[in-house]
Amino acid sequence: MYIGAIEAGGTKIVCGIGNEQGEIIDRVSFPTLQPSETLPRIVEYFRGKELKSIGVGTFGPINIDKSSPEYGYVTTTPKPGWSNYPFLGELKKAFDLPFGWDTDVNAAALGEAKWGAAKGLDSCLYYTVGTGIGVGVYAEQRLIHGFMHPEGGHVLVRRHAEDHYEGFCPYHNDCLEGLAAGPALEKRWGVKGAELGADHPAWAMEAYYIGQALSQAILLLAPKKIILGGGVMHQEQLFPLIRQEVQRTLNGYVNVPQLAGGIDSYIVPPGLGDNAGLSGAVALGINALQEFAGQRNS
Amino acid sequence: MYIGAIEAGGTKIVCGIGNEQGEIIDRVSFPTLQPSETLPRIVEYFRGKELKSIGVGTFGPINIDKSSPEYGYVTTTPKPGWSNYPFLGELKKAFDLPFGWDTDVNAAALGEAKWGAAKGLDSCLYYTVGTGIGVGVYAEQRLIHGFMHPEGGHVLVRRHAEDHYEGFCPYHNDCLEGLAAGPALEKRWGVKGAELGADHPAWAMEAYYIGQALSQAILLLAPKKIILGGGVMHQEQLFPLIRQEVQRTLNGYVNVPQLAGGIDSYIVPPGLGDNAGLSGAVALGINALQEFAGQRNS
């Protein structure tokens, strides 16, 4: 059984074919240009592929309210051509298939719960720390939405006493994203994060912010695994620093093995590596197919 | 159909009988003493009442992991006699009925979603601000748990510039509960909150903290309604101040009617008033009965 998968990021779009085991059988990628250039390439790739369904995990914000006439739109992105764009609707014009539709990070959380670092668990959080910071929330065996999808990259955090950088978020200045996403590292230290040594003080400050956000989320949701992906998290020295910050801020209040001796296997990189997003889109496609079958049978 | 309901708080225990419409038909309350004194009173009240099930919404922390041998325990409370106490197990010895079991605040969130301020919505948060601060999380039409129940009263918040009170939380000093629960008001200002005038600067500071916590939760979960109960929230002047703080901290990033013109009906007092907890326990009991019936039929 072949499931189509679209991982739409701000800089590139990855399309692929997966199966029920979450294996990626084929993949292509191309830059995210205007929809008028990009959509035909997506459609061309999937044409004739004998798919059962397609899952879309995309950059946002997006409309995920099935009762809204704008369900399936990319909404307020600054990305040229994509603001208020009916992404899902255009795909549906090309393919008469069940479609899954969610954010890239929700897709990654689902993929990790199905086949990755949170396999077999009924809850996990997936953070991506890169150009921006996004969060996917999986709890009680399902992806969580409310009036919109999670936007937990913008939570306020306490400022580090030695941090004099004002933050770059156009809405909040010094929210988590404004202080800890890739551009903040570059603006604060004058060079890209990847060029800072592993023992540079930048990383302790970075962990101070990310650890606080994780502690907030742990107190609210108690996820059974926290997965940290994205470009900044390729700096592996961040993981032990972040784990320490989580323990420091919670200070023993939440007395479970995951937050004590077991923390090295609690806050972890993606089990699916760089395939987390694409595999997650496959998982969205599988869910959409099951939902479709359920509706037909009821 | 009669459903038993137990709302167990740190100072008093309320027992009642409700029906499928969430109506409370009868209720009693008595102080929360040692379990050896309190449990017999609970059992005596429900004896012979022809119940279909019983729902328990209790102070915590509690064990909610059905696979644990300590499921149904009150765990690390300082309350004499209740630490590591098998509350649910003792009730089950007395009554061979399906039991619902959750925190008092999760119960209240469920009750509000079923019959109260969030009626008909598939998500809401219920905060209680009193001696402590607790949070119940309802999302995707169910109560949310992970490795434990929500403990969102202890999230870290940014300190108010004019606040020199150190906070009273034994774990975190100046987390939300440490700075904004009832005892913080009394220790900071020297008199109980209820004795401060409605225009006292205490309330703007209080709203500063609660509003931050709500913004964190909105960004992570986008709940369709936020309900604020508990003794401190009887200070009605807090509601507009908290709504302003939420708008100030989010600063237009989340562009939905609920957070703009509609905020007065988004952040609200309990629709069930002081019955939120007891009605929520009825709702837990109804859920337990349905789950029991589902297991028998499968």
Side-chain angles (χ1 to χ4, degrees), chain B residues 159-178:
Chain B
R159 294 187 64 95
H160 192 285
E162 289 161 32
D163 189 7
H164 306 295
Y165 172 57
E166 70 274 22
F168 76 92
C169 174
Y171 291 92
H172 316 112
N173 295 325
D174 57 359
C175 64
L176 176 65
E177 180 168 299

Side-chain angles (χ1 to χ4, degrees), chain B residues 157-211:
Chain B
V157 286
R158 289 186 180 178
R159 294 187 64 95
H160 192 285
E162 289 161 32
D163 189 7
H164 306 295
Y165 172 57
E166 70 274 22
F168 76 92
C169 174
Y171 291 92
H172 316 112
N173 295 325
D174 57 359
C175 64
L176 176 65
E177 180 168 299
L179 290 173
L185 280 164
E186 185 170 356
K187 287 176 186 172
R188 182 186 291 115
W189 303 104
V191 294
K192 284 186 190 299
E195 293 164 29
L196 296 165
D199 57 353
H200 193 283
W203 304 117
M205 191 178 282
E206 181 76 5
Y208 178 84
Y209 294 127
I210 297 172

Side-chain angles (χ1 to χ4, degrees), chain A residues 274-296:
Chain A
D274 292 334
N275 271 340
L278 196 61
S279 298
V282 173
L284 288 176
I286 292 172
N287 280 8
L289 185 59
Q290 287 168 345
E291 203 174 305
F292 177 73
Q295 283 165 356
R296 263 198 324 195

Side-chain angles (χ1 to χ4, degrees), chain A residues 125 127 155-157 176 207-223 226 228 241-254 259 263 266-267, chain B residues 147 150-156 172 175 216 220:
Chain A
L125 294 181
Y127 281 79
V155 292
L156 289 185
V157 285
L176 176 66
Y208 178 84
Y209 292 128
I210 296 172
Q212 274 187 66
L214 267 48
S215 289
Q216 288 179 10
I218 288 167
L219 288 164
L220 207 52
L221 291 166
I226 298 182
L228 306 179
L241 296 171
I242 289 169
R243 293 175 189 131
Q244 283 166 28
E245 277 300 317
V246 167
Q247 290 178 324
R248 188 185 66 78
T249 48
L250 294 178
N251 197 29
Y253 179 71
V254 183
L259 294 170
I263 199 166
Y266 177 63
I267 297 173
Chain B
F147 62 73
E151 279 286 353
H154 288 264
V155 293
L156 289 185
H172 316 112
C175 64
Q216 290 179 9
L220 206 53

Side-chain angles (χ1 to χ4, degrees), chain A residues 2 167 175 185 201 228 240:
Chain A
Y2 294 146
C175 65
L185 280 165
L228 306 179

Side-chain angles (χ1 to χ4, degrees), chain B residues 23-293:
Chain B
E23 292 157 348
I24 304 297
I25 294 156
D26 188 56
R27 63 189 292 161
V28 295
S29 98
F30 33 83
T32 310
L33 306 174
Q34 292 268 352
S36 57
E37 297 176 74
T38 300
L39 203 85
R41 298 195 65 171
I42 299 176
V43 170
E44 181 195 359
Y45 173 73
F46 287 121
R47 187 80 74 197
K49 286 284 203 298
E50 303 280 335
L51 304 175
K52 293 289 184 191
S53 65
I54 299 179
V56 185
T58 176
F59 70 93
I62 62 176
N63 188 315
I64 49 87
D65 175 3
K66 287 185 182 174
S67 70
S68 163
E70 272 129 42
Y71 175 70
Y73 278 51
V74 176
T75 59
T76 56
T77 177
K79 200 150 183 56
W82 290 87
S83 178
N84 211 32
Y85 175 69
F87 192 11
L88 180 60
E90 292 297 320
L91 289 166
K92 280 184 167 173
K93 281 185 195 166
F95 301 100
D96 182 23
L97 291 172
F99 269 88
W101 170 255
D102 216 316
T103 60
D104 46 2
V105 274
N106 257 359
L110 181 65
E112 289 289 328
K114 219 168 162 76
W115 302 301
K119 187 176 174 178
L121 301 178
D122 55 13
S123 61
C124 73
L125 295 182
Y126 183 97
Y127 281 80
T128 182
V129 186
T131 313
I133 299 183
V135 189
V137 180
Y138 181 80
E140 299 284 343
Q141 297 187 295
R142 65 206 71 225
L143 291 174
I144 299 296
H145 317 84
F147 62 73
M148 67 181 295
H149 49 77
E151 279 286 353
H154 288 264
V155 293
L156 289 185
V157 286
R158 289 186 180 178
R159 294 187 64 95
H160 192 285
E162 289 161 32
D163 189 7
H164 306 295
Y165 172 57
E166 70 274 22
F168 76 92
C169 174
Y171 291 92
H172 316 112
N173 295 325
D174 57 359
C175 64
L176 176 65
E177 180 168 299
L179 290 173
L185 280 164
E186 185 170 356
K187 287 176 186 172
R188 182 186 291 115
W189 303 104
V191 294
K192 284 186 190 299
E195 293 164 29
L196 296 165
D199 57 353
H200 193 283
W203 304 117
M205 191 178 282
E206 181 76 5
Y208 178 84
Y209 294 127
I210 297 172
Q212 275 187 65
L214 266 47
S215 289
Q216 290 179 9
I218 289 167
L219 289 163
L220 206 53
L221 292 167
K224 291 185 180 169
K225 192 79 76 173
I226 298 182
I227 299 149
L228 305 179
V232 172
M233 294 310 304
H234 287 149
Q235 301 291 325
E236 292 176 13
Q237 70 277 9
L238 273 172
F239 280 90
L241 296 170
I242 290 169
R243 293 174 189 131
Q244 283 165 29
E245 277 301 315
V246 167
Q247 290 178 323
R248 188 185 67 78
T249 48
L250 295 178
N251 197 27
Y253 178 72
V254 182
N255 183 17
V256 295
Q258 290 97 316
L259 294 169
I263 199 164
D264 289 357
S265 53
Y266 177 63
I267 298 172
V268 296
L272 302 170
D274 292 334
N275 271 339
L278 196 61
S279 298
V282 173
L284 288 175
I286 292 173
N287 280 7
L289 184 60
Q290 287 167 346
E291 203 175 303
F292 177 73

